[in-house]
Amino acid sequence: MSVTILGIESSCDDTSAAVIRDGLLLSNVIASQSVHEEYGGVVPELASRAHQQNIVPVVKAALDRAGIDKKELSAIAFTRGPGLLGSLLVGTSFAKGMSLGLRIPLVDVNHLHGHVLSHFIRKEVSDTVPEYPFLTLLISGGNSQLILVRGYNDMEILGATIDDAAGEAFDKCAKVMGLPYPGGPHIDRLAKEGDPSRFKFAKPRIPALDYSFSGLKTSFLYTLRDAVKLDPDFVEKNRADLAASLQRTIIEILIDKLDKAVKQTGVKSVAIGGGVSANSGVRQAVADYCDRNGLKAFIPERAFTTDNAAMVAIAGYFKYLDRQFCGYDEVPFARVTV
Ligand code: KG4
């Protein structure tokens, strides 16, 4: 009998629902929230209100696009955390209500597991998926982690950021340059026209496999502050070169630890995930690194780099097959864990 999972994601500012049947993606609907743009970051209270408005139409659209009736669902999978508690509560409560109403199991999903497992989302039976064990570089606005993945439910964090995440480095430096939030995609676009070797910024000297991006951020800020004193139009005149140099530095920091982790673990495959894995420079650098080292690279489709319910549905699908269901008394969690 077919296994059909509805995934629900509401951990931050994207309301998403997706349907996966027997491991194949049937639909993935994402409603992003533009309400935060004018505040330069996500406002938690506004995010949860927008989720409340979006959740019913988004779930309906996901079922319609999949061409299925809700009675055909085997289980409801939802993101339990980490994330914004108010946002998570909307998806969690909706998932519980739907599971109770349909009398089908409820499956809770760790958002970070979802990002890692997004490489198992297949559109065709012939799509290639990673073989265990593999390494994941998970880079987003909230996390920068190197994770050894031994199984869908067996993951070990080998290293993580001790301060800012890679996405924060992109966003905060972009803000200093006067670019809108989130700045990552703007830096990516500008970097394509700039000289990546024009400016040098500080790189961290952190032992083991941990990351740090706060020093780079300060170094970027001071470079601009000093240069603007001499030429008020400095940023305007050098936007592309600043973006390209910043992006190159972030990539070098990411690849340096990735290389150490590959050597330490001896894995044969490397995957990337999270919002920053949409960055064209990062994607190219990881693909080139894997080419040079005889490794298989798994670079996600851009639609699966940001928050989406397809990754929740696939993670839920694996748990469903193992009968790992969740009770109705389980509550969302905000903190980062794997
Ligand atoms: O995973 P995500 O959508 O949200 C969470 O952090 O949970 O990641 C968002 C982050 C932001 O910092 C954003 O600037 C960054 O991903 N980002 C990018 C690009 N697209 C999104 N950073 C660099 N280049 C991009 N193309």
Side-chain angles (χ1 to χ4, degrees), residues 210-290:
D210 288 332
Y211 283 114
S212 165
F213 290 98
S214 66
L216 165 62
K217 183 186 66 188
T218 310
S219 153
F220 188 84
L221 178 71
Y222 287 178
T223 303
L224 265 63
R225 189 195 58 186
D226 295 346
V228 167
K229 276 189 201 148
L230 303 172
D231 175 4
D233 298 328
F234 172 80
V235 176
E236 196 49 50
K237 287 180 191 160
N238 296 285
R239 278 158 96 90
D241 289 349
L242 283 167
S245 302
L246 171 69
Q247 186 167 295
R248 173 192 49 82
T249 314
I250 292 176
I251 291 171
E252 283 173 3
I253 295 170
L254 291 173
I255 298 284
D256 177 53
K257 293 292 167 103
L258 174 66
D259 180 48
K260 285 196 174 81
V262 165
K263 289 186 174 132
Q264 192 173 303
T265 56
V267 293
K268 299 279 175 270
S269 301
V270 167
I272 53 173
V276 178
S277 69
N279 182 272
S280 33
V282 171
R283 295 164 81 86
Q284 192 60 52
V286 172
D288 290 348
Y289 169 80
C290 287

Coordinates of all heavy atoms in Angstrom, one line a residue, residues 210-290:
D210 N 35.0 23.8 14.3 CA 34.0 24.9 14.6 C 34.2 26.1 13.6 O 35.4 26.3 13.2 CB 34.1 25.4 16.0 CG 33.5 24.3 17.0 OD1 32.6 23.6 16.5 OD2 33.9 24.3 18.1
Y211 N 33.2 26.8 13.4 CA 33.2 28.0 12.6 C 33.1 29.3 13.5 O 32.6 29.2 14.6 CB 32.1 28.1 11.6 CG 32.3 27.1 10.4 CD1 31.4 26.0 10.2 CD2 33.2 27.4 9.5 CE1 31.6 25.2 9.1 CE2 33.4 26.5 8.4 CZ 32.6 25.5 8.2 OH 32.7 24.6 7.1
S212 N 33.6 30.4 12.9 CA 33.4 31.7 13.5 C 33.3 32.7 12.4 O 34.1 32.7 11.5 CB 34.5 32.0 14.5 OG 34.5 33.4 14.8
F213 N 32.3 33.6 12.5 CA 32.2 34.6 11.4 C 32.1 36.1 12.0 O 32.0 37.0 11.3 CB 30.9 34.4 10.6 CG 31.0 33.2 9.7 CD1 30.5 32.0 10.1 CD2 31.7 33.2 8.5 CE1 30.6 30.8 9.3 CE2 31.8 32.1 7.7 CZ 31.2 30.9 8.1
S214 N 32.2 36.2 13.4 CA 32.1 37.5 13.9 C 33.3 38.4 13.6 O 33.2 39.6 13.4 CB 31.8 37.5 15.4 OG 32.9 36.9 16.1
G215 N 34.5 37.8 13.6 CA 35.7 38.5 13.3 C 35.7 39.1 11.9 O 36.1 40.3 11.6
L216 N 35.2 38.3 10.9 CA 35.1 38.7 9.5 C 34.1 39.9 9.5 O 34.4 40.9 8.8 CB 34.6 37.6 8.7 CG 34.1 37.9 7.3 CD1 35.2 38.6 6.4 CD2 33.5 36.7 6.6
K217 N 33.0 39.8 10.2 CA 32.0 40.9 10.2 C 32.7 42.2 10.7 O 32.5 43.3 10.1 CB 30.9 40.5 11.1 CG 29.7 41.4 11.1 CD 28.7 40.9 12.2 CE 29.3 41.0 13.6 NZ 28.4 40.4 14.6
T218 N 33.4 42.1 11.8 CA 34.1 43.3 12.3 C 35.1 43.9 11.4 O 35.2 45.1 11.2 CB 34.7 43.0 13.7 OG1 33.8 42.3 14.5 CG2 35.2 44.2 14.4
S219 N 35.9 43.0 10.8 CA 36.9 43.4 9.8 C 36.3 44.1 8.6 O 36.8 45.2 8.1 CB 37.7 42.2 9.4 OG 38.3 42.3 8.2
F220 N 35.1 43.6 8.2 CA 34.4 44.2 7.0 C 33.9 45.6 7.4 O 34.1 46.6 6.7 CB 33.3 43.3 6.6 CG 32.6 43.7 5.4 CD1 33.0 43.3 4.2 CD2 31.4 44.5 5.4 CE1 32.4 43.7 3.0 CE2 30.7 44.8 4.3 CZ 31.2 44.4 3.0
L221 N 33.4 45.7 8.6 CA 32.8 46.9 9.1 C 33.9 48.0 9.2 O 33.7 49.1 8.8 CB 32.2 46.7 10.5 CG 31.6 47.9 11.2 CD1 30.3 48.3 10.5 CD2 31.3 47.5 12.7
Y222 N 35.1 47.6 9.8 CA 36.2 48.6 10.0 C 36.8 49.0 8.7 O 37.1 50.2 8.5 CB 37.3 48.0 10.9 CG 36.8 47.9 12.4 CD1 37.7 47.3 13.3 CD2 35.6 48.4 12.8 CE1 37.3 47.3 14.7 CE2 35.2 48.3 14.1 CZ 36.1 47.7 15.1 OH 35.7 47.7 16.4
T223 N 36.9 48.1 7.7 CA 37.4 48.5 6.4 C 36.5 49.5 5.8 O 37.0 50.6 5.3 CB 37.4 47.2 5.5 OG1 38.2 46.2 6.1 CG2 38.0 47.5 4.1
L224 N 35.2 49.3 5.8 CA 34.3 50.3 5.3 C 34.3 51.6 6.0 O 34.4 52.7 5.4 CB 32.9 49.7 5.2 CG 32.5 49.1 3.9 CD1 33.3 47.8 3.7 CD2 31.0 48.7 3.9
R225 N 34.3 51.5 7.4 CA 34.3 52.7 8.2 C 35.5 53.6 7.9 O 35.4 54.8 7.6 CB 34.3 52.3 9.7 CG 34.1 53.5 10.6 CD 34.5 53.1 12.0 NE 35.9 52.7 12.1 CZ 36.5 52.1 13.2 NH1 35.8 51.9 14.3 NH2 37.7 51.8 13.2
D226 N 36.7 53.0 7.8 CA 37.9 53.8 7.5 C 37.9 54.3 6.1 O 38.4 55.5 5.9 CB 39.2 52.9 7.7 CG 39.3 52.4 9.2 OD1 38.6 53.0 10.1 OD2 40.1 51.5 9.5
A227 N 37.5 53.6 5.2 CA 37.5 54.0 3.8 C 36.5 55.1 3.5 O 36.8 56.1 2.8 CB 37.3 52.8 2.8
V228 N 35.4 55.0 4.2 CA 34.3 56.1 4.0 C 34.8 57.4 4.5 O 34.4 58.5 4.0 CB 33.0 55.6 4.6 CG1 32.0 56.7 4.7 CG2 32.4 54.5 3.8
K229 N 35.7 57.4 5.6 CA 36.2 58.7 6.1 C 37.0 59.4 5.1 O 37.0 60.6 5.0 CB 37.1 58.3 7.3 CG 36.4 58.1 8.6 CD 37.4 58.1 9.7 CE 36.8 57.4 10.9 NZ 37.7 56.6 11.7
L230 N 37.7 58.6 4.2 CA 38.5 59.3 3.2 C 37.7 59.6 1.9 O 38.0 60.6 1.2 CB 39.7 58.3 2.8 CG 40.6 57.9 3.9 CD1 41.6 56.8 3.5 CD2 41.3 59.1 4.5
D231 N 36.7 58.7 1.6 CA 35.9 58.9 0.4 C 34.4 58.5 0.8 O 34.1 57.3 0.8 CB 36.4 58.1 -0.7 CG 35.5 58.1 -2.0 OD1 34.6 58.9 -1.9 OD2 35.8 57.4 -2.9
P232 N 33.6 59.5 0.9 CA 32.2 59.2 1.3 C 31.5 58.3 0.3 O 30.5 57.6 0.7 CB 31.5 60.5 1.4 CG 32.6 61.5 1.5 CD 33.8 60.9 0.8
D233 N 31.9 58.2 -0.9 CA 31.3 57.4 -1.9 C 31.9 56.0 -2.1 O 31.7 55.3 -3.1 CB 31.3 58.1 -3.3 CG 30.5 59.4 -3.2 OD1 29.5 59.5 -2.5 OD2 30.9 60.3 -4.0
F234 N 32.8 55.7 -1.1 CA 33.6 54.5 -1.3 C 32.7 53.2 -1.5 O 33.0 52.4 -2.4 CB 34.5 54.3 0.0 CG 35.1 52.9 0.0 CD1 36.3 52.7 -0.7 CD2 34.6 51.9 0.8 CE1 36.9 51.5 -0.7 CE2 35.2 50.6 0.8 CZ 36.4 50.5 0.1
V235 N 31.7 53.1 -0.7 CA 30.8 51.9 -0.8 C 30.2 51.8 -2.2 O 30.2 50.8 -2.9 CB 29.8 51.8 0.3 CG1 28.9 50.6 0.2 CG2 30.5 51.7 1.7
E236 N 29.6 53.0 -2.5 CA 28.9 53.0 -3.8 C 29.8 52.7 -5.0 O 29.5 51.9 -5.9 CB 28.4 54.5 -4.0 CG 27.3 54.7 -5.1 CD 26.2 53.6 -5.0 OE1 25.6 53.4 -3.9 OE2 26.0 53.0 -6.0
K237 N 31.1 53.2 -4.9 CA 32.0 53.0 -6.0 C 32.6 51.5 -6.1 O 33.0 51.1 -7.1 CB 33.2 53.9 -5.9 CG 32.9 55.3 -6.2 CD 34.2 56.1 -6.0 CE 34.0 57.6 -6.1 NZ 35.1 58.3 -5.4
N238 N 32.5 50.9 -4.9 CA 33.2 49.5 -4.8 C 32.3 48.4 -4.4 O 32.7 47.3 -4.0 CB 34.3 49.6 -3.8 CG 35.4 50.6 -4.2 OD1 36.2 50.3 -5.1 ND2 35.4 51.8 -3.6
R239 N 31.0 48.6 -4.6 CA 30.0 47.6 -4.2 C 30.3 46.2 -4.7 O 30.3 45.2 -3.9 CB 28.6 48.0 -4.7 CG 27.9 49.0 -3.9 CD 26.8 49.7 -4.7 NE 25.5 49.1 -4.6 CZ 24.7 49.5 -3.6 NH1 25.0 50.4 -2.8 NH2 23.5 48.9 -3.5
A240 N 30.5 46.1 -6.0 CA 30.7 44.7 -6.6 C 32.0 44.1 -6.0 O 32.0 42.9 -5.7 CB 30.8 44.8 -8.1
D241 N 33.1 44.8 -5.9 CA 34.3 44.3 -5.4 C 34.2 43.9 -3.9 O 34.8 42.9 -3.5 CB 35.5 45.3 -5.6 CG 35.9 45.4 -7.1 OD1 35.4 44.6 -7.9 OD2 36.7 46.3 -7.4
L242 N 33.5 44.7 -3.2 CA 33.3 44.4 -1.7 C 32.5 43.1 -1.6 O 32.9 42.3 -0.8 CB 32.6 45.6 -1.1 CG 33.4 46.8 -0.7 CD1 32.5 48.0 -0.4 CD2 34.4 46.6 0.4
A243 N 31.5 43.0 -2.4 CA 30.6 41.8 -2.3 C 31.4 40.6 -2.7 O 31.3 39.5 -2.0 CB 29.4 42.0 -3.2
A244 N 32.1 40.7 -3.8 CA 32.9 39.5 -4.3 C 34.0 39.1 -3.3 O 34.2 37.9 -3.1 CB 33.5 39.9 -5.7
S245 N 34.6 40.1 -2.7 CA 35.7 39.8 -1.7 C 35.1 39.2 -0.4 O 35.7 38.3 0.1 CB 36.5 41.1 -1.4 OG 37.0 41.6 -2.5
L246 N 34.0 39.7 0.0 CA 33.3 39.2 1.2 C 32.9 37.7 0.9 O 33.2 36.8 1.7 CB 32.1 40.0 1.5 CG 31.2 39.4 2.6 CD1 31.9 39.4 3.9 CD2 29.8 40.1 2.7
Q247 N 32.3 37.5 -0.2 CA 31.8 36.1 -0.6 C 33.0 35.2 -0.7 O 32.9 34.0 -0.2 CB 31.0 36.2 -1.9 CG 30.4 34.9 -2.3 CD 29.4 35.0 -3.4 OE1 28.4 35.7 -3.3 NE2 29.7 34.4 -4.5
R248 N 34.1 35.6 -1.3 CA 35.3 34.7 -1.4 C 35.7 34.3 0.0 O 36.1 33.2 0.2 CB 36.4 35.4 -2.2 CG 37.7 34.6 -2.2 CD 38.9 35.4 -2.7 NE 39.1 36.7 -2.0 CZ 39.6 37.0 -0.9 NH1 40.0 35.9 -0.1 NH2 39.7 38.2 -0.4
T249 N 35.8 35.3 0.9 CA 36.3 35.0 2.2 C 35.4 34.0 3.0 O 35.9 33.1 3.6 CB 36.4 36.3 3.1 OG1 37.0 37.3 2.3 CG2 37.2 36.1 4.4
I250 N 34.1 34.2 2.9 CA 33.2 33.3 3.5 C 33.3 31.9 2.9 O 33.4 30.9 3.7 CB 31.7 33.8 3.4 CG1 31.5 35.1 4.2 CG2 30.7 32.7 3.8 CD1 30.1 35.7 4.0
I251 N 33.5 31.8 1.6 CA 33.7 30.5 1.0 C 35.0 29.8 1.5 O 35.0 28.6 1.8 CB 33.6 30.7 -0.6 CG1 32.2 31.0 -1.0 CG2 34.1 29.4 -1.2 CD1 32.1 31.4 -2.5
E252 N 36.0 30.6 1.6 CA 37.3 30.0 2.0 C 37.2 29.5 3.4 O 37.7 28.4 3.7 CB 38.4 31.1 1.9 CG 38.9 31.3 0.5 CD 39.9 32.5 0.4 OE1 40.3 33.1 1.4 OE2 40.2 32.8 -0.8
I253 N 36.5 30.2 4.3 CA 36.3 29.8 5.7 C 35.5 28.5 5.7 O 35.8 27.5 6.3 CB 35.6 30.9 6.5 CG1 36.4 32.1 6.6 CG2 35.2 30.3 7.9 CD1 35.7 33.3 7.2
L254 N 34.4 28.4 4.8 CA 33.6 27.2 4.8 C 34.3 26.0 4.3 O 34.3 24.9 4.8 CB 32.3 27.5 3.9 CG 31.3 28.5 4.5 CD1 30.2 28.8 3.4 CD2 30.7 27.9 5.7
I255 N 35.1 26.2 3.2 CA 35.8 25.1 2.5 C 36.9 24.6 3.4 O 37.2 23.4 3.4 CB 36.3 25.5 1.1 CG1 35.1 25.8 0.2 CG2 37.1 24.3 0.5 CD1 34.2 24.7 -0.3
D256 N 37.6 25.5 4.1 CA 38.7 25.1 4.9 C 38.3 24.0 6.0 O 38.9 22.9 6.1 CB 39.3 26.3 5.6 CG 40.4 26.0 6.6 OD1 41.3 25.4 6.1 OD2 40.3 26.4 7.8
K257 N 37.2 24.2 6.7 CA 36.7 23.3 7.7 C 36.1 22.1 7.0 O 36.2 20.9 7.6 CB 35.7 23.9 8.6 CG 36.4 25.0 9.5 CD 37.4 24.4 10.5 CE 38.2 25.5 11.2 NZ 37.9 25.8 12.5
L258 N 35.5 22.3 5.9 CA 34.9 21.1 5.2 C 36.0 20.1 4.8 O 35.8 18.9 5.0 CB 34.1 21.6 3.9 CG 33.6 20.5 3.0 CD1 32.5 19.8 3.7 CD2 33.0 21.2 1.7
D259 N 37.1 20.7 4.3 CA 38.2 19.8 3.9 C 38.7 19.0 5.1 O 39.0 17.8 5.0 CB 39.3 20.7 3.3 CG 40.5 19.9 2.9 OD1 40.3 18.9 2.2 OD2 41.6 20.3 3.3
K260 N 38.9 19.7 6.3 CA 39.3 19.1 7.5 C 38.4 17.9 7.9 O 38.8 16.8 8.2 CB 39.4 20.0 8.7 CG 40.6 21.0 8.6 CD 40.8 21.6 9.9 CE 42.1 22.5 9.9 NZ 41.9 23.8 9.4
A261 N 37.1 18.2 7.8 CA 36.1 17.2 8.2 C 36.1 16.0 7.2 O 35.9 14.9 7.6 CB 34.7 17.8 8.2
V262 N 36.3 16.3 5.9 CA 36.4 15.2 4.9 C 37.5 14.3 5.3 O 37.4 13.0 5.3 CB 36.5 15.7 3.5 CG1 36.9 14.7 2.5 CG2 35.2 16.4 3.0
K263 N 38.7 14.9 5.6 CA 39.9 14.1 5.9 C 39.7 13.3 7.1 O 40.2 12.2 7.3 CB 41.1 15.0 5.9 CG 41.5 15.5 4.5 CD 42.7 16.4 4.5 CE 43.0 16.7 3.0 NZ 43.3 18.0 2.8
Q264 N 39.1 13.9 8.1 CA 38.9 13.3 9.4 C 37.9 12.1 9.3 O 38.1 11.1 10.0 CB 38.3 14.3 10.4 CG 38.3 13.9 11.8 CD 37.8 15.1 12.7 OE1 38.4 16.2 12.7 NE2 36.8 14.9 13.4
T265 N 36.9 12.2 8.5 CA 35.9 11.2 8.4 C 36.1 10.2 7.3 O 35.5 9.0 7.4 CB 34.5 11.8 8.3 OG1 34.5 12.6 7.1 CG2 34.1 12.6 9.4
G266 N 36.8 10.6 6.3 CA 37.0 9.7 5.1 C 35.7 9.4 4.3 O 35.6 8.5 3.5
V267 N 34.7 10.4 4.4 CA 33.5 10.2 3.6 C 33.8 10.3 2.1 O 34.8 10.9 1.7 CB 32.4 11.2 4.0 CG1 31.9 11.0 5.4 CG2 32.9 12.6 3.8
K268 N 32.8 9.8 1.3 CA 33.0 9.8 -0.1 C 32.0 10.8 -0.8 O 32.0 11.0 -2.0 CB 32.8 8.4 -0.7 CG 33.8 7.4 -0.2 CD 35.1 7.5 -1.0 CE 36.2 6.6 -0.5 NZ 37.0 7.3 0.6
S269 N 31.1 11.3 0.0 CA 30.0 12.2 -0.5 C 29.9 13.4 0.4 O 30.0 13.3 1.7 CB 28.7 11.6 -0.6 OG 28.7 10.5 -1.4
V270 N 29.7 14.6 -0.2 CA 29.5 15.8 0.5 C 28.2 16.5 0.1 O 27.9 16.6 -1.2 CB 30.6 16.8 0.3 CG1 30.3 18.2 0.8 CG2 31.9 16.3 1.0
A271 N 27.3 16.9 1.0 CA 26.1 17.6 0.6 C 26.1 19.0 1.3 O 26.7 19.2 2.3 CB 24.9 16.8 1.1
I272 N 25.3 19.9 0.7 CA 25.2 21.2 1.4 C 23.7 21.4 1.5 O 22.8 20.9 0.8 CB 25.8 22.4 0.6 CG1 25.4 22.4 -0.9 CG2 27.3 22.3 0.7 CD1 25.9 23.7 -1.6
G273 N 23.3 22.3 2.5 CA 21.9 22.6 2.7 C 21.7 23.9 3.5 O 22.7 24.5 4.0
G274 N 20.5 24.4 3.5 CA 20.2 25.6 4.2 C 20.3 26.8 3.2 O 20.7 26.7 2.1
G275 N 19.7 27.9 3.7 CA 19.6 29.1 2.8 C 20.8 29.5 2.1 O 20.8 29.9 0.9
V276 N 22.0 29.5 2.8 CA 23.2 30.0 2.1 C 23.7 29.0 1.0 O 24.5 29.4 0.2 CB 24.3 30.2 3.2 CG1 25.6 30.6 2.6 CG2 23.8 31.2 4.2
S277 N 23.2 27.8 1.0 CA 23.6 26.8 0.0 C 22.9 27.2 -1.4 O 23.2 26.6 -2.4 CB 23.2 25.4 0.3 OG 21.9 25.2 0.4
A278 N 22.1 28.3 -1.4 CA 21.6 28.9 -2.6 C 22.7 29.8 -3.3 O 22.6 30.1 -4.5 CB 20.4 29.7 -2.4
N279 N 23.7 30.1 -2.5 CA 24.7 31.0 -3.1 C 25.5 30.4 -4.2 O 26.1 29.3 -4.1 CB 25.7 31.4 -1.9 CG 26.7 32.4 -2.4 OD1 27.8 32.0 -2.8 ND2 26.4 33.7 -2.2
S280 N 25.5 31.1 -5.3 CA 26.2 30.5 -6.5 C 27.7 30.3 -6.3 O 28.2 29.2 -6.8 CB 25.9 31.4 -7.8 OG 25.9 32.7 -7.5
G281 N 28.3 31.2 -5.6 CA 29.8 30.9 -5.3 C 30.0 29.7 -4.4 O 30.9 28.9 -4.7
V282 N 29.2 29.6 -3.4 CA 29.3 28.4 -2.5 C 29.0 27.1 -3.3 O 29.8 26.2 -3.1 CB 28.3 28.6 -1.3 CG1 28.2 27.3 -0.5 CG2 28.6 29.7 -0.4
R283 N 28.0 27.1 -4.1 CA 27.6 25.9 -4.9 C 28.8 25.5 -5.8 O 29.2 24.3 -5.8 CB 26.4 26.2 -5.7 CG 25.2 26.4 -4.8 CD 24.0 27.1 -5.6 NE 23.3 26.1 -6.4 CZ 22.3 25.4 -6.0 NH1 21.9 25.5 -4.7 NH2 21.6 24.5 -6.7
Q284 N 29.4 26.5 -6.5 CA 30.5 26.2 -7.4 C 31.7 25.7 -6.6 O 32.4 24.8 -7.0 CB 30.8 27.5 -8.2 CG 31.7 27.3 -9.3 CD 31.1 26.3 -10.4 OE1 30.0 26.5 -10.8 NE2 31.8 25.3 -10.7
A285 N 32.0 26.4 -5.5 CA 33.2 26.1 -4.7 C 33.1 24.6 -4.2 O 34.1 23.9 -4.2 CB 33.4 27.0 -3.6
V286 N 31.9 24.2 -3.7 CA 31.8 22.9 -3.1 C 31.8 21.9 -4.3 O 32.5 20.8 -4.1 CB 30.4 22.7 -2.3 CG1 30.2 21.3 -2.0 CG2 30.5 23.6 -1.1
A287 N 31.2 22.2 -5.4 CA 31.3 21.3 -6.6 C 32.7 21.1 -7.0 O 33.2 20.0 -7.2 CB 30.4 21.8 -7.7
D288 N 33.5 22.2 -7.1 CA 34.9 22.2 -7.5 C 35.7 21.4 -6.5 O 36.6 20.6 -6.9 CB 35.5 23.6 -7.7 CG 34.9 24.3 -8.8 OD1 34.2 23.7 -9.7 OD2 35.1 25.6 -8.9
Y289 N 35.5 21.6 -5.2 CA 36.2 20.9 -4.2 C 36.0 19.4 -4.3 O 37.0 18.6 -4.2 CB 35.8 21.4 -2.8 CG 36.3 20.6 -1.7 CD1 37.6 20.8 -1.2 CD2 35.6 19.6 -1.1 CE1 38.2 19.9 -0.2 CE2 36.1 18.8 -0.1 CZ 37.4 18.9 0.3 OH 37.9 18.1 1.3
C290 N 34.8 19.0 -4.5 CA 34.5 17.6 -4.6 C 35.1 17.0 -5.8 O 35.7 15.9 -5.8 CB 32.9 17.4 -4.6 SG 32.2 17.6 -3.0

